[in-house]
């Protein structure tokens, strides 16, 4: 049997993402100060802030009022297996690494023609007009193999900081990896499957989650809730249900 | 897509340069075979115009590249990338045009010159094809992703190049016989270019969305709307891929294209055709040649502006033209599924 090709990727759980933008800001912070930095950040406190981000979080509403749910949707390069951005690059600056499947741009070769960004259906590449080269998510290649970092921190910045643990990192071609299990157990899917890009990153869908609560264990606070402005928890709230339309 | 002036200029001017050269070499070959030699200065000046147009286009293209210093690296991936092939073919084409001019100057035998000219034509056609394929192979801009793209690029270049060839032949005093032949072919080329461009516009008016925002984010829901773009202001993804068609600007430009690239030039050239036959001159074609350059710029600008990239789905910028996916239509008309 030929050796299985490694393909590192992120799995993003849309059911857990709370839209806090921590991944986006940490990505920006690491990548503007890491080995690949800096990233443009024009007028960050002005009226028209503009800059390069490898990861952005958009928010969508699904359904019509009152039957709506909110979907927070983080998007960074999906490290496609059949990456169209790589095939069009005239210089070979955009490449897909054989050893781990990460799609990278060699900033020393890029001529800044932007052709690769047009070929990406997901809008995952952003142009650095200060350095004149194309940039995108590196899957934190300067963290995951970085021997200066403690082993626990050799993970992408966006994964480490996610407060709801909506992001998982690993080898999607290893059937026993955490990412593969997450995909398998939760009906993980790829974006725009018809685009023929075969993205390595996967998403986990919105789904109904029921948390059974033992009512006997709920303690009702004596102190009136009006002080804190919070709603009082009552004993008849048997189950907390996620308001999910999809799934 | 945001029309980039340097790319508009490159594709428009290089296309015209290719067209002029094809016409000049065609006239040269005809004159060699019929034995009535067209004046060599006319050919030289024609090839010079082809080189000038292509050269100006090339200079413009450098404004698009942010690392001109690494320009030569662009030919590395010629086996895979159409952009790389264009970068390779552009200097090759200019080299052969230059060679053709040099052979004219040194008075080389006709066969040598024609050989250089025919190779130049080959590179001109390969270059036009590569330029078109750069855009035609972008699957995610449906307006571009069609055989019409390289065909339109080539035919429009040929039509405008034809008018310029007539212009050159006239001002260098090559004689009415050759001007008439060139004019006949350039009227034909303009007419064919017009039909093909109309067909392309027709196709693009009825284009359907390849996918919806539901598939883009994977939410199985028919009604997904964007609430937050995730940025305080416009950024690369909302600027590069989107050109706001404000107040029917695109429609106005399309009218301008049809008028200045096809209808008016055809009218002017046909008027000249009559006047040359009756021994007059072809001054109207000169006007046609000039306004066709304007028309080519407008056509190319619109080509880019109307490109509707599917990444716009993520930012609420996707323009749905309302065309219907034929697969969905055929599903609708098919018999309902049996229960169960
Ligand atoms: S998501 Fe876009 S930039 Fe990333 S590998 Fe796929 S096509 Fe290329
Ligand atoms: S912008 Fe750079 S990485 Fe992208 S296609 Fe051009 S040379 Fe390649
Ligand atoms: S993997 Fe690294 S570069 Fe990619 S989105 Fe996460 S933090 Fe940014």
């Amino acid at each position: 049997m030929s050796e299985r090709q490694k393909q590192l990727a992120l799995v993003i759980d849309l059911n857990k993402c709370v839209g806090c933008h921590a991944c986006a800001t940490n990505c920006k912070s690491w990548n503007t100060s890491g080995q690949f930095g800096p990233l443009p950040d024009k007028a960050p406190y002005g009226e028209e802030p503009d800059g390069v981000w490898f990861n952005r979080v958009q928010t969508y509403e699904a359904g019509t009022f009152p039957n709506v749910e909110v979907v927070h949707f983080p998007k960074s390069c999906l490290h496609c297996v059949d990456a169209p951005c790589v095939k069009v690059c005239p210089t070979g600056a955009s490449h897909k690494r054989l050893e781990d499947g990460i799609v990278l741009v060699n900033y020393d070769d890029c001529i800044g023609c932007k052709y690769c960004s047009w070929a990406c259906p997901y809008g995952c590449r952003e142009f650095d007009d200060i350095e004149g080269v194309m940039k995108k998510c590196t899957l934190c290649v300067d963290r995951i193999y970085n021997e200066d970092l403690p082993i626990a921190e050799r993970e992408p910045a966006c994964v480490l900081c996610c407060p709801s643990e909506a992001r998982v990192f690993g080898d999607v071609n290893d059937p026993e990896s955490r990412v593969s299990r997450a995909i398998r157990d939760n009906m993980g899917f790829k974006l725009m499957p018809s685009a023929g890009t075969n993205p390595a990153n996967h998403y986990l869908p919105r789904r109904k989650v029921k948390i059974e609560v033992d009512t006997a264990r709920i303690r009702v606070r004596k102190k009136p809730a009006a002080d804190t402005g919070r709603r009082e928890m009552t004993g008849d709230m048997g189950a907390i249900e996620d308001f999910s339309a999809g799934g | 897509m945001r029309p980039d002036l340097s790319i508009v200029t490159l594709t428009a001017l290089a296309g015209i340069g290719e067209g002029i050269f094809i016409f000049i070499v065609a006239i040269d070959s005809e004159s060699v075979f019929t034995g009535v030699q067209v004046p060599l200065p006319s050919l030289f000046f024609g090839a010079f115009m082809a080189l000038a147009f292509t050269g100006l286009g090339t200079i413009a293209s450098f404004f698009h590249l942010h690392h001109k210093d690494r320009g030569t690296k662009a030919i590395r991936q010629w086996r895979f990338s159409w952009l790389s092939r264009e970068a390779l073919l552009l200097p090759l084409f200019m080299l052969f045009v230059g060679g053709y001019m040099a052979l004219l100057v040194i008075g080389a035998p006709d066969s040598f010159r024609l050989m250089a000219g025919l190779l130049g034509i080959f590179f001109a056609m390969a270059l036009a094809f590569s330029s078109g394929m750069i855009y035609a192979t972008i699957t995610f801009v449906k307006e571009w992703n069609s055989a019409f793209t390289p065909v339109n690029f080539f035919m429009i270049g040929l039509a405008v190049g034809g008018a310029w060839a007539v212009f050159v032949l006239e001002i260098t005093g090559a004689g009415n016989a050759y001007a008439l032949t060139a004019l006949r072919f350039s009227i034909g080329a303009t007419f064919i270019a017009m039909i093909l461009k109309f067909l392309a516009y027709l196709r693009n008016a009825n284009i359907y969305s390849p996918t919806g925002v539901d598939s883009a984010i994977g939410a199985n829901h028919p009604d997904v709307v964007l609430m937050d773009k995730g940025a305080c202001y416009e950024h690369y993804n909302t600027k590069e891929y989107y050109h706001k068609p404000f107040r029917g600007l695109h429609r106005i430009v399309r009218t301008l294209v049809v008028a200045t690239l096809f209808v008016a030039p055809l009218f002017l050239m046909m008027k000249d055709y009559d006047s040359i036959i009756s021994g007059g001159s072809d001054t109207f074609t000169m006007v046609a040649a000039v306004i066709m350059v304007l028309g080519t710029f407008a056509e190319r600008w619109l080509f880019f502006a109307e490109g509707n990239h599917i990444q716009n789905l993520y930012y609420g910028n996707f323009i749905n033209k309302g065309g219907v996916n034929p697969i969905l239509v055929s599903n609708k008309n098919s018999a309902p599924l049996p229960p169960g």
Side-chain angles (χ1 to χ4, degrees), chain A residues 10 12 22-28 30-31 53-56 75-77 79 136-144 155-161 167 169 201:
Chain A
L10 296 173
I12 298 160
C23 55
T25 40
N26 265 273
C27 169
K28 174 93 171 174
W30 171 257
N31 283 295
W53 294 68
F54 293 170
N55 185 8
R56 292 183 187 266
K75 173 165 66 73
S76 52
C77 171
H79 298 276
K136 62 179 268 305
C137 159
T138 63
L139 213 55
C140 283
V141 70
D142 52 346
R143 287 192 69 90
I144 57 178
E155 291 238 345
C158 55
V159 171
L160 285 173
C161 71
R167 303 172 79 90
F169 166 74
N201 282 12

Side-chain angles (χ1 to χ4, degrees), chain B residues 65-338:
Chain B
L65 295 188
H66 288 257
H67 275 285
K68 302 158 190 56
D69 48 319
R70 304 174 186 160
T72 47
K73 289 186 176 176
I75 58 173
R76 279 189 189 170
Q77 297 291 320
W78 60 274
R79 280 175 302 153
F80 307 103
S81 165
W82 284 106
L83 181 54
S84 198
R85 289 174 196 156
E86 187 192 46
L88 188 66
L89 288 164
L90 191 61
L92 271 177
F93 168 61
M94 299 207 316
L95 192 72
F96 276 89
V97 179
Y100 176 84
M101 288 163 68
L103 292 174
L104 274 171
V105 172
I106 61 169
D110 289 349
S111 53
F112 277 37
R113 187 180 73 238
L114 282 190
M115 192 53 80
L118 291 177
L119 280 170
I121 290 188
F122 169 78
F123 286 117
M125 294 176 80
L127 174 59
F129 185 68
S130 308
S131 302
M133 287 306 276
I134 291 176
Y135 309 100
T137 50
I138 302 271
T139 343
F140 309 117
V141 180
K142 280 278 161 205
E143 285 80 357
W144 297 355
N145 183 215
S146 118
F148 280 118
T149 303
V151 170
N152 285 154
F153 274 30
F154 175 70
M155 277 314 295
I156 289 171
L158 192 67
V160 185
W164 275 89
V166 179
F167 188 157
V168 167
L169 291 173
E170 176 65 20
I171 56 171
T172 53
N176 276 353
Y178 283 112
L180 201 61
T181 317
L183 193 54
R184 196 181 295 138
F185 280 99
S186 91
I187 290 173
T190 310
F191 189 73
I192 296 170
M194 177 172 76
I195 301 289
L196 288 169
K197 191 66 213 184
F198 278 176
L199 289 175
Y201 280 148
L202 197 67
R203 168 193 181 267
N204 287 354
N206 291 301
I207 217 157
Y208 58 87
S209 342
T211 176
V213 65
D214 49 344
S215 149
I217 70 164
N220 289 325
H221 204 288
D223 199 6
V224 179
V225 290
L226 178 75
M227 288 174 74
D228 180 5
K229 287 186 191 186
C232 306
Y233 192 64
E234 304 293 325
H235 51 90
Y236 185 70
N237 288 307
T238 60
K239 287 189 287 196
E240 175 75 5
Y241 301 87
Y242 181 60
H243 185 266
K244 196 170 184 223
F246 67 96
R247 298 198 185 182
L249 176 67
H250 290 185
R251 211 171 36 237
I252 297 168
V253 177
R254 194 170 310 125
T255 316
L256 189 77
V257 171
V258 174
T260 58
L261 192 51
F262 304 123
V263 178
L266 275 175
F267 176 76
L268 292 169
M269 287 193 284
M270 289 203 274
K271 224 169 144 45
D272 266 349
Y273 193 76
D274 284 344
S275 90
I276 295 182
I277 285 180
S278 51
S281 71
D282 57 359
T283 37
F284 285 124
T285 305
M286 301 185 187
V287 181
V290 174
I291 63 169
M292 280 172 106
V293 176
L294 183 78
T296 312
F297 270 88
E299 186 272 339
R300 217 42 56 83
W301 182 90
L302 190 64
F303 170 81
F304 287 104
E306 285 194 322
N308 192 11
H309 199 289
I310 65 170
Q311 81 91 37
N312 287 335
L313 282 168
Y314 290 106
Y315 299 96
N317 284 344
F318 191 82
I319 305 157
N320 210 333
K321 300 222 177 87
V324 185
N325 184 337
I327 299 168
L328 297 182
V329 174
S330 65
N331 280 352
K332 210 186 281 174
N333 294 341
S334 63
L337 289 174

Side-chain angles (χ1 to χ4, degrees), chain A residues 75-86 94-96 101-105 116-117 119-126 135-137 197-201, chain B residues 140:
Chain A
K75 173 165 66 73
S76 52
C77 171
L78 309 165
H79 298 276
C80 302
V81 174
D82 299 317
C85 54
V86 169
S94 275
H95 61 286
K96 186 167 177 71
I102 299 180
V103 175
L104 283 181
V105 182
C116 53
S117 69
C120 168
Y122 309 106
C124 287
R125 292 179 164 241
E126 296 198 14
K135 296 198 166 170
K136 62 179 268 305
C137 159
T197 49
N198 197 4
N201 282 12
Chain B
F140 309 117

